[in-house]
Amino acid sequence: MQPTLKVQALSKTFDVRAGLFKRKKFEVLKNISFCIGKGETIAVIGETGSGKSTLAKLLAGADNANAGQILLEGNVIEDNGIRDNQCRHIRMIFQDSGASLNPGLTIGDMLDDCLQYNTDFDEEERSEKINTTLSKVGLLVDHQHYYPHMFSVGQLQRVAFARALILDPKVMVLDEAVSSLDPSIRAQIVNLLLKLQRETGLTYVMITHHLSLVRHISDQVIVLDKGEVVEYGLTENVFNNPQSKITQRLLSC
């Protein structure tokens, strides 16, 4: 079966200062490759500075790679840093959902803007899509008239999911999306993620340091260290028999 998301030899380099007048290349990601199927979850773990968030940005189109390919359902959407217009099919959820929302717009206006810029829906179709999307993430239809400051932290994360889901993506990148939530709200959001995945066949790429969460919901896991994949496989296999020292250290913590 063809994977939903396939990444081949993805690399990212930054220019960093190496003295008063000199700069040097710093390779943040080196030849990252993996694939994941429809309705599955892959977790990316590693220590701080391992390249996890950079990988998330490359997948979501927030930054471009220097080399490598990203394929979505067999179609190349990025090739050596050149991205096509299919970014709407890979959406990203950030750790601080409140900071990514415009405080001067109602939730309904934000969702309507997404639809106006990315679809040919008329006003009635947009209204119906907003209503169904809010209901899908466990919010009320009337919440579209609220401003971001009127929501709790957990509700804001649901708003962020609504904004990502409104364009019917195939892949969702979760960059520490539940890390800042307290345990009870985190459990609610995780249950929402699993429910959405069952209903829509969404594929998740989950960047996290919560290893218990990784074991609970991910099918595969990638371990990054200094921009390189040091371990990759089925989650249970990696957890039960870690091969690399960095994986052993992460699990022991």
Side-chain angles (χ1 to χ4, degrees):
M1 184 182 294
Q2 181 174 265
T4 295
L5 180 68
K6 186 174 184 180
V7 172
Q8 296 184 146
L10 206 64
S11 297
K12 178 65 178 178
T13 303
F14 289 125
D15 282 333
V16 297
R17 190 179 296 278
L20 191 58
F21 301 109
K22 294 182 179 180
R23 302 186 72 83
K24 67 177 182 180
K25 300 286 187 183
F26 176 67
E27 206 166 11
V28 185
L29 293 174
K30 308 169 190 176
N31 295 319
I32 307 296
S33 298
F34 65 87
C35 59
I36 189 75
K38 182 178 180 178
E40 295 182 337
T41 299
I42 187 165
V44 183
I45 64 174
E47 296 180 327
T48 301
S50 59
K52 303 187 300 295
S53 289
T54 300
L55 176 59
K57 290 175 183 176
L58 296 184
L59 295 176
D63 200 354
N64 293 326
N66 294 99
Q69 289 185 326
I70 301 173
L71 294 89
L72 187 67
E73 295 183 332
N75 300 311
V76 177
I77 64 168
E78 181 163 330
D79 187 11
N80 292 326
I82 307 300
R83 189 91 171 193
D84 80 353
N85 62 355
Q86 296 195 59
C87 285
R88 59 173 289 187
H89 296 305
I90 303 180
R91 305 284 282 170
M92 189 167 177
I93 305 289
F94 297 94
Q95 179 175 352
D96 187 355
S97 53
S100 66
L101 302 174
N102 187 333
L105 290 178
T106 65
I107 302 309
D109 286 339
M110 287 184 212
L111 297 178
D112 194 57
D113 284 348
C114 286
L115 293 173
Q116 286 194 59
Y117 291 132
N118 293 282
T119 71
D120 297 324
F121 291 174
D122 61 28
E123 186 175 350
E124 184 177 346
E125 289 172 322
R126 295 198 307 272
S127 178
E128 184 178 342
K129 183 67 172 176
I130 290 169
N131 292 345
T132 56
T133 303
L134 289 174
S135 299
K136 195 178 290 185
V137 299
L139 293 172
L140 301 174
V141 170
D142 283 348
H143 278 138
Q144 65 186 287
H145 305 300
Y146 288 28
Y147 290 88
H149 73 272
M150 302 167 73
F151 290 95
S152 67
V153 173
Q155 287 175 320
L156 282 173
Q157 203 65 314
R158 292 175 187 268
V159 170
F161 285 131
R163 189 173 60 172
L165 286 170
I166 197 93
L167 295 179
D168 298 319
K170 301 180 187 338
V171 177
M172 195 177 289
V173 181
L174 309 166
D175 189 7
E176 299 285 6
V178 298
S179 296
S180 62
L181 305 176
D182 68 45
S184 61
I185 297 176
R186 185 186 306 143
Q188 293 174 23
I189 296 300
V190 169
N191 288 335
L192 173 63
L193 286 171
L194 295 173
K195 174 176 174 285
L196 291 172
Q197 192 171 53
R198 286 193 303 270
E199 292 175 352
T200 66
L202 266 171
T203 296
Y204 294 138
V205 180
M206 184 174 63
I207 315 294
T208 185
H209 63 268
H210 283 283
L211 299 188
S212 59
L213 179 62
V214 170
R215 191 162 201 168
H216 178 54
I217 73 170
S218 70
D219 301 286
Q220 299 180 44
V221 62
I222 293 174
V223 185
L224 291 183
D225 183 39
K226 298 175 183 175
E228 295 185 274
V229 176
V230 294
E231 198 146 0
Y232 168 41
L234 296 176
T235 301
E236 278 303 305
N237 293 346
V238 171
F239 272 65
N240 291 333
N241 188 24
Q243 299 296 306
S244 70
K245 289 183 178 179
I246 184 68
T247 309
Q248 293 167 7
R249 187 159 71 243
L250 287 168
L251 294 178
S252 68
C253 294

